[in-house]
Amino acid sequence: SVLKIEGVPVLFAIYFLTFLAFSLFYASLPVYASTQLGWSAVNLGAFLAYFSLLMVVVQGPILSRLSKRFQSIQLVIGGACSLTIGFLLLVQGNLLLMYLAVTFMAFGNGIMWASFLSMLSKAGRSSQQGAIQGYGSSMGSMANMLGLVIGGILFQSIGILTFGLAAIIFLI
């Protein structure tokens, strides 16, 4: 019955694809960083800490300001475009471009995900919200599981082009 609610199937598809693309990133980045970039665990940890710090800033003061000026759908689209740029920059392998990439990714994810969850919370009646949110979380968990496995396989097969594939997913 949840899938019959107008707009919910599309929102679930976005939920699934977002988690899938990020899972490709999380499965591939550590291998890429250590084997091709020569990063240590400390370098990778610093990189991911920078990413997390930016997410805090974006989801706090930046999103607060942007959400007053733009609709959720505009923020989702803008965030997806920023994520696409970020994932494409990862392919370059240059340290400066890697940090620029993760900056675009943090901005994109920060404005996209919160705005998307806002849209999802407005789908259906209030009595349906538990089911909508529950199924959405299930979509994310399934995509996460598949993405981690597929990400490892893809990275072993096509290398850094895995990040390009994730970019295409966000573009979709």
Side-chain angles (χ1 to χ4, degrees), residues 57-68 75 107 110-115:
V57 172
V58 171
Q59 288 182 343
I62 293 175
L63 181 60
S64 177
R65 288 187 182 114
L66 289 176
S67 63
K68 291 175 186 170
L75 293 172
F107 179 77
I111 66 168
M112 177 196 179
W113 195 241
S115 302

Side-chain angles (χ1 to χ4, degrees), residues 2-3 5 8-20 113 116-117 120-121 123 128-144:
V2 171
L3 291 175
I5 301 169
V8 168
V10 171
L11 292 172
F12 282 171
I14 292 169
Y15 207 118
F16 183 86
L17 291 173
T18 299
F19 269 85
L20 181 69
W113 195 241
F116 172 78
L117 291 177
L120 189 63
S121 74
Q128 298 169 311
Q129 276 306 300
I132 292 170
Q133 298 296 330
Y135 280 107
S137 292
S138 295
M139 292 287 173
S141 296
M142 187 176 7
N144 196 24

Side-chain angles (χ1 to χ4, degrees), residues 64-128:
S64 177
R65 288 187 182 114
L66 289 176
S67 63
K68 291 175 186 170
R69 296 186 59 202
F70 300 98
Q71 296 176 357
S72 292
I73 186 69
Q74 293 171 309
L75 293 172
V76 168
I77 292 169
C81 290
S82 184
L83 282 161
T84 301
I85 292 167
F87 274 91
L88 290 174
L89 287 172
L90 283 176
V91 177
Q92 305 306 313
N94 174 292
L95 182 63
L96 181 62
L97 290 179
M98 292 286 293
Y99 274 87
L100 182 61
V102 82
T103 301
F104 272 99
M105 291 169 61
F107 179 77
N109 189 54
I111 66 168
M112 177 196 179
W113 195 241
S115 302
F116 172 78
L117 291 177
S118 171
M119 290 172 57
L120 189 63
S121 74
K122 295 173 185 167
R125 297 184 309 273
S126 60
S127 63
Q128 298 169 311

